[in-house]
Amino acid sequence: MEEQTDLFREEAAHLFHAGEQKPDFAKPPVNEPRESEQFLMQAPPGNPLLLPHTLQELLSKDSVQVELIPEKKGLFLKHVEYEVSSKRFKCSVYRRYNDFVVFHEMLLQKFPYRMVPALPPKRMLGADREFIESRRRALKRFINLVARHPPFSEDVLLKLFLSFSGSDVQNKLRELVQGVGDEFLTCRLATQAKDFLPADIQAQFAASRELIRNIYNSFYKLRDRAERIASRAIDNASDLLIFGKELSALGSDTTPLPSWAALNNSTWGTLKQALKGLSVEFALLADKAVQQGKQEENDVVEKLNLFLDLLQSYKDLCERHEKGVLHKHQRALHKYSMMKKQMMSATVQNKEPESVEQLESRIVEQENAILTMELRNYFSLYCLHQETQLIHIYLPLTSHILGAFVNSQIQGHKEMSKVWNELKPKLSCLFVGSSNMPTPPLSPPDGNFFSN
């Protein structure tokens, strides 16, 4: 046993000084406390590293609606409640923002090696309704990503959050996690993760991280442009409405014509009558533009934001992997190296046997700690491999987003073109020349107010 321990120390010290991220130790039983058998997650059939899901399967896991239920005290908004409705669990519950915060914390505590989407920020001083609506949308994206994530979707945390109607949901969530341990302690495959990983997992991890970073940057720019397009459609609606109102005001003007303009009195009266009724058509055009802007916000911008939230959670996971388990692993190796030097010094100086035994005991404890971190490191890479697959399962969402954008443009232009064409005959009296012969009307701008 003493000889094996010496070999272990030499190998760990060699790898530490060589700058390796992790030693390739054998995998003895982990000395962290394990839960009883009923708490252990069952191993999936087949190759456990592969996710057998399609995008449609993920999207069909659940559809969760999050609606605002503001409660007012006097003239001021005291707090906001959300009605959270799950199609899967066929129920609605009321949640506050802090309930989402605790749920998020418990997910991170139980699944530190998975993509846990970030929550929107807390209410800032003087937050307006636009901020509250933006946060509602972000909470909806968060809970839908969680509800469709394979491990999360089967966990009791999610079921309780979406179905528990009691008033102490935060305490119930904490009780579910307390004493159970994280996924590393509850997954049967945790100590075997290395066996399922490809030999070049580190290179694959680096390449995947770079790819996801590039995809995120591109989708961030797409989202920015989509927001601008949707915003311009809504702004265009406002301009069209004001344009129609001004034409109507012009037609409704009752100021009498001066005597020197009497010759054109009948012409102006006819023109005014035509202008007076145009506000109806322009109001309809404005309504169509608003509908298109809102549709692009819901079907294009929100889908882009959903995908960006997912990509950001992957980036956050990569940082947790490097700054968490890898950093702790290297610190443990460094501590082990220092303890080994102390042991060598104590041996040379012929210190008391009791102090040497204490140091040996501490070294054994540190060896076990390093072995546990080694297993956690491989399990973290195992989870990262699966989360990378999940990102690629979601990538076809690009076609859904592009299809929604194209359909919105086609439908919007089609509906506005119909209104413009119906408006055109009503302007015939505006294009009559001095010979009372109609002149060609000006070409309408192809209903293209909002796409440039």
Side-chain angles (χ1 to χ4, degrees):
M1 176 65 184
E2 184 176 352
E3 181 179 354
Q4 291 178 345
T5 303
D6 289 338
L7 290 173
F8 173 90
R9 295 170 186 164
E10 291 174 5
E11 182 178 10
H14 172 73
L15 288 170
F16 172 76
H17 291 297
E20 293 288 339
Q21 289 186 338
K22 53 186 184 303
D24 190 8
F25 301 141
K27 295 191 286 294
V30 183
N31 69 331
E32 292 192 24
R34 311 290 291 196
E35 290 299 308
S36 57
E37 289 298 314
Q38 64 264 28
F39 289 113
L40 294 176
M41 298 169 62
Q42 296 297 320
N47 185 347
L49 189 63
L50 301 180
L51 293 180
H53 303 284
T54 65
L55 176 60
Q56 192 57 44
E57 289 172 346
L58 292 180
L59 296 179
S60 63
K61 278 182 176 291
D62 201 354
S63 177
V64 185
Q65 300 299 319
V66 178
E67 301 297 336
L68 281 169
I69 306 178
E71 180 179 330
K72 292 185 177 180
K73 302 287 181 68
L75 298 176
F76 300 97
L77 191 67
K78 293 298 183 181
H79 67 264
V80 175
E81 271 194 324
Y82 303 92
E83 182 179 10
V84 181
S85 305
S86 166
K87 184 177 180 181
R88 174 187 176 187
F89 294 106
K90 296 180 176 61
C91 62
S92 295
V93 293
Y94 297 100
R95 296 287 180 257
R96 295 188 183 181
Y97 177 78
N98 285 339
D99 298 332
F100 280 91
V101 171
V102 173
F103 178 54
H104 180 265
E105 290 174 353
M106 295 303 100
L107 279 176
L108 274 176
Q109 187 172 328
K110 193 170 184 179
F111 298 97
Y113 309 123
R114 300 288 182 179
M115 293 187 298
V116 180
L119 283 176
K122 292 184 178 181
R123 184 194 303 175
M124 299 177 293
L125 186 63
D128 55 17
R129 293 189 178 277
E130 183 179 350
F131 170 81
I132 294 174
E133 170 60 16
S134 174
R135 190 172 68 176
R136 181 198 68 81
R137 288 174 177 264
L139 290 174
K140 180 181 177 181
R141 296 194 302 269
F142 163 79
I143 193 62
N144 275 284
L145 284 174
V146 170
R148 295 163 181 169
H149 188 285
F152 302 163
S153 65
E154 304 305 320
D155 194 79
V156 290
L157 273 175
L158 177 70
K159 181 178 181 180
L160 186 140
F161 185 79
L162 291 178
S163 62
F164 180 73
S165 57
S167 59
D168 56 343
V169 63
Q170 296 183 24
N171 289 331
K172 293 294 183 182
L173 289 168
R174 291 188 177 100
E175 289 172 4
L176 283 179
V177 177
Q178 186 177 10
V180 175
D182 63 15
E183 188 183 9
F184 175 75
L185 296 176
T186 58
C187 179
R188 289 183 179 275
L189 299 176
T191 58
Q192 307 170 41
K194 181 182 178 182
D195 299 335
F196 303 108
L197 292 172
D200 60 342
I201 181 62
Q202 293 289 358
Q204 287 192 26
F205 167 56
S208 296
R209 189 176 186 181
E210 181 65 21
L211 174 63
I212 301 305
R213 183 185 294 115
N214 294 337
I215 293 175
Y216 177 89
N217 291 338
S218 293
F219 270 84
Y220 186 88
K221 295 175 183 176
L222 288 172
R223 191 276 312 274
D224 180 62
R225 294 297 139 178
E227 281 184 333
R228 290 162 63 92
I229 291 171
S231 178
R232 281 201 298 270
I234 295 173
D235 290 342
N236 185 54
S238 178
D239 292 337
L240 286 168
L241 189 62
I242 294 173
F243 192 91
K245 287 181 178 180
E246 288 302 322
L247 288 176
S248 180
L250 188 62
S252 302
D253 184 70
T254 57
T255 304
L257 288 174
S259 58
W260 55 267
L263 293 176
N264 296 315
N265 188 19
S266 61
T267 303
W268 178 236
T270 303
L271 291 175
K272 285 173 61 177
Q273 190 65 31
L275 295 173
K276 187 176 181 179
L278 293 182
S279 62
V280 176
E281 280 74 18
F282 276 90
L284 185 56
L285 286 168
D287 183 61
K288 298 297 183 185
V290 167
Q291 289 181 21
Q292 178 168 356
K294 293 297 183 182
Q295 183 177 353
E296 287 170 352
E297 283 183 348
N298 294 327
D299 295 345
V300 181
V301 176
E302 274 305 293
K303 284 187 174 69
L304 286 168
N305 278 326
L306 179 81
F307 195 43
L308 281 172
D309 289 349
L310 182 70
L311 295 173
Q312 182 62 54
S313 68
Y314 182 86
K315 294 171 64 179
D316 294 342
L317 175 61
C318 292
E319 290 187 9
R320 285 203 303 275
H321 172 74
E322 289 190 335
K323 295 180 179 179
V325 63
L326 279 180
H327 181 66
K328 290 179 180 178
H329 192 195
Q330 290 179 342
R331 286 181 58 186
L333 283 174
H334 177 71
K335 183 177 180 181
Y336 176 82
S337 176
M338 297 302 296
M339 292 171 68
K340 181 185 175 183
K341 290 179 180 179
Q342 292 177 7
M343 184 66 179
M344 292 175 62
S345 176
T347 303
V348 171
Q349 297 176 13
N350 294 320
K351 289 190 175 182
E352 295 293 330
E354 183 176 344
S355 62
V356 173
E357 288 179 3
Q358 291 178 350
L359 189 55
E360 285 181 341
S361 176
R362 288 172 54 201
I363 288 176
V364 171
E365 290 179 1
Q366 189 64 15
E367 288 173 353
N368 289 332
I370 291 174
L371 292 172
T372 298
M373 291 177 192
E374 167 76 3
L375 296 178
R376 280 189 173 272
N377 180 47
Y378 280 122
F379 184 68
S380 178
L381 288 170
Y382 170 89
C383 293
L384 259 171
H385 195 288
Q386 288 191 329
E387 301 302 275
T388 303
Q389 293 177 62
L390 192 59
I391 291 289
H392 286 272
I393 293 173
Y394 266 100
L395 275 176
L397 191 64
T398 306
S399 61
H400 293 231
I401 297 170
L402 185 58
F405 178 65
V406 172
N407 289 336
S408 172
Q409 291 291 317
I410 291 173
Q411 186 67 22
H413 283 296
K414 181 180 179 180
E415 292 183 3
M416 292 193 73
S417 177
K418 181 180 179 182
V419 178
W420 283 117
N421 285 323
E422 291 174 352
L423 176 62
K424 185 176 177 180
K426 299 180 181 181
L427 305 180
S428 58
C429 62
L430 299 177
F431 304 104
V432 177
S434 57
S435 61
N436 291 329
M437 294 295 292
T439 58
L442 299 176
S443 298
D446 301 326
N448 205 22
F449 283 89
F450 45 82
S451 61
N452 293 325

